[in-house]
Amino acid sequence: MSVELIHKVLSKMKGGKAASPSGIITEMLKAAGEEFVELIRELAEVVFNSSLIPAEWEESIVLSLFKGKGHGLQTW
């Protein structure tokens, strides 16, 4: 994984979203700077080369929230 690819991915991430289970938000990732980008590159390299995925990366929470728009629950 290249530094350029990491920058590209970070630039496409939308802010204002809820934090992950780790508490990290997009704005933190974008503000972390070049040292962070290099650490992410090294981490990705280790994960890809070893084929070992940290157990925490397997955790995700998906919620479906009705915002009152379009088709959904109707109140009577």
Side-chain angles (χ1 to χ4, degrees):
M1 178 175 282
S2 70
V3 170
E4 293 80 19
L5 179 58
I6 296 169
H7 281 292
K8 184 177 177 180
V9 170
L10 286 173
S11 72
K12 289 184 177 185
M13 293 176 73
K14 294 181 181 179
K17 303 292 182 177
S20 68
S22 67
I24 297 173
I25 59 174
T26 301
E27 291 81 359
M28 294 168 129
L29 299 175
K30 289 183 174 185
E34 289 304 311
E35 187 174 337
F36 167 74
V37 170
E38 182 57 27
L39 288 171
I40 290 297
R41 190 199 62 73
E42 291 174 13
L43 176 61
E45 189 174 292
V46 168
V47 169
F48 293 144
N49 290 336
S50 69
S51 298
L52 298 174
I53 299 173
E56 294 85 4
W57 290 10
E58 295 178 9
E59 178 182 340
S60 65
I61 299 169
V62 177
L63 297 175
S64 178
L65 300 175
F66 176 63
K67 295 182 178 182
K69 300 177 182 178
H71 300 294
L73 298 175
Q74 295 183 10
T75 57
W76 301 99

